[in-house]
Amino acid sequence: MTANTGPLVIVGGGVAGLATALSAAPRPVLLVGNSMAGSGGCTSLAQGGIAVALAPGDSALSHAEDTMAAGAGHNDPEAVDYLVAHAGPALRWLESQGVNFDLDRNGLQLGREGGHSHNRIVHAGGDASGLALLLALARAAQGSPHIAWRPPATLDAVLVRGGRVAAVRFTDTETGRPHETECADLVLATGGCGALFSATTNPPTADGNGLGLALALGVPLRDAEFVQFHPTALDIKTDGPLPLITEALRGAGARLVDDAGCPIMDARHPMGDLAPRDQVARCVWEHRQRGGNVWLDATELSRDWIWRFPTVHAIARRHGIDPRRERMPVTPAAHFHMGGIAVDLDGRTGVPGLHAVGEVACTGVHGANRLASNSLLEGVVFGRRLGRHLADSDRGLPRSGAERWIDRGASADQCNLRGLRELAWECLGPVRNGDRMAEAVDGIRTDSQVRDTWQGKVVVHLLQAAIHRRQSLGTHFRDDRPRPVRTRAAG
Ligand SMILES: Cc1cc2nc3c(=O)[nH]c(=O)nc-3n(C[C@H](O)[C@H](O)[C@H](O)COP(=O)(O)OP(=O)(O)OC[C@H]3O[C@@H](n4cnc5c(N)ncnc54)[C@H](O)[C@@H]3O)c2cc1C
């Protein structure tokens, strides 16, 4: 880095961090992630793909309408317009970075997912879209001279000087040693917080630590109460992530059924099994609360099962199920955080030099419920915008003013973390209740071993946001409040 260039540090090697880093050229970038290049995080697990309006009769306007309807109208319209208008360019950019999307004889193959009024999900490697995308972007980043990719390390603290970001501190994964480096612009692309729930599709790295750091820095979060629950995680006993059964299977004709084999969604929503995720997740949750099981029946799907859904096939077989002949037991699970660090469309937070992008950030684009396959798209579209913005806005390092290191805070031990995750699932899951959430806040506040940890603080923040939103909206469903009038029946 040249002497008068303010160092740019990007934390997180998922789709959002990589898109930002690649687009910041020629500004030098130090890219840091706590897992090996091309692994870890949610991006590598994404199955369905990326939403782009390409089919005859489809349009960016229709994509925007579906996004707003799924988000219960709580979305930021400017962010939605930007997302859908830049979906086509994002797709072409991904192709130019080496992502090979699946084709059929008409061109790009377009899948269907819940809440979409057209077939518009492009995918790669069948249902291994995220991994294909991540590997291509990681390769492109490794071949880019402006990007220096640091060996795995975890961001722990930020130095603020004169009210601006001035340096960061990492812990090296291999040696456990701390490292400090100057930093004029810091991008948090650290992913979501699903791993704070005991039932989740997210890997342990999606633990909300970026939100913990933001809270320590006094940076506001937005829409923190809105967590999406995927209706179909494979129901197995594990402390780790539950394997996801992609919604694209329902798009291809798989049905959600009860123990007697009766479809559960037909009477619930005009779009049946492809109703918006929040509604399907609640229906599955309610069946299970009543003591029944819910199954995904994909036995009627065509013969190209293994070719189209190799990931789901391998997952099911690993758990002793042949999904071509047997139904798969499913449960809802925390999947995606619509809320996050409040940012504008250029990824700016309230603290000069601190930016956020991807799932850790909230532009308001997803509203109260994300439309399926809009989040890889968000990472690419807003990552590219932020990268270009940072390439042009290098202000150099702050040299004067009061300075203070701010770290995320103490971490909960394994035992307390397990209890906290169960509490989050029971109180902040698909069906919420004001009294139960208030009791949960009191419980955390009276236990110093949880209260004083960053995980405890993030969960309390989510609970308080959910308590303050007294009406049900999107994924935030309260059984102690009347339902709002929906803006559109389907979405
Ligand atoms: C099972 C599953 C399936 C999905 N399917 C789809 C889909 O089909 N389509 C779609 O659009 N979306 C899908 N999603 C959602 C989508 O994958 C994520 O929203 C998106 O990948 C988030 O990208 P990201 O770059 O923000 O975060 P991530 O990909 O999670 O990357 C964050 C990175 O930051 C690192 N990190 C975190 N904290 C630190 C720290 N303190 N220091 C250093 N590094 C840190 C993590 O290790 C990780 O590598 C799916 C999610 C899951 C879990």
Side-chain angles (χ1 to χ4, degrees), residues 197 227 229 285 423-432 475-477:
F197 293 76
V227 177
F229 302 97
W285 165 278
L423 186 78
W425 178 240
E426 279 157 26
C427 299
L428 281 167
V431 176
R432 300 167 175 181
T475 59
H476 170 71
F477 183 85

Side-chain angles (χ1 to χ4, degrees), residues 11-17 32-35 39-51 113 121 129 134 153-156 170 189-192 201-203 205-207 209-210 242 244 246 277 335-336 357-360 370-379 408:
V11 183
V15 61
V32 187
N34 55 11
S35 38
S39 66
C42 286
T43 301
S44 62
L45 301 178
Q47 296 180 359
I50 298 195
E113 291 189 342
I121 316 300
S129 304
L134 189 67
T154 300
L155 172 72
D156 293 320
F170 297 102
T190 51
T201 61
N202 287 195
T205 51
D207 59 3
N209 79 78
L242 295 169
L244 180 82
T246 175
R277 279 190 184 163
H335 185 57
F336 181 82
V357 68
E359 196 170 332
V360 72
R370 173 191 67 131
L371 182 67
S373 285
N374 260 356
S375 46
L376 291 176
L377 181 62
E378 173 193 25
R408 209 172 18 247

Side-chain angles (χ1 to χ4, degrees), residues 421-464:
R421 293 177 71 217
E422 275 159 19
L423 186 78
W425 178 240
E426 279 157 26
C427 299
L428 281 167
V431 176
R432 300 167 175 181
N433 176 283
D435 292 340
R436 271 204 322 268
M437 292 192 289
E439 274 168 35
V441 172
D442 288 346
I444 294 173
R445 285 198 168 140
T446 50
D447 182 347
S448 62
Q449 302 215 23
V450 181
R451 177 192 64 209
D452 298 335
T453 66
W454 64 263
Q455 292 100 330
K457 288 176 189 165
V458 173
V459 171
V460 165
H461 194 94
L462 265 56
L463 282 163
Q464 283 176 326

Side-chain angles (χ1 to χ4, degrees), residues 256-269:
L256 282 164
V257 298
D258 62 15
D259 287 314
C262 297
I264 62 168
M265 283 307 298
D266 284 355
R268 282 289 282 254
H269 197 279

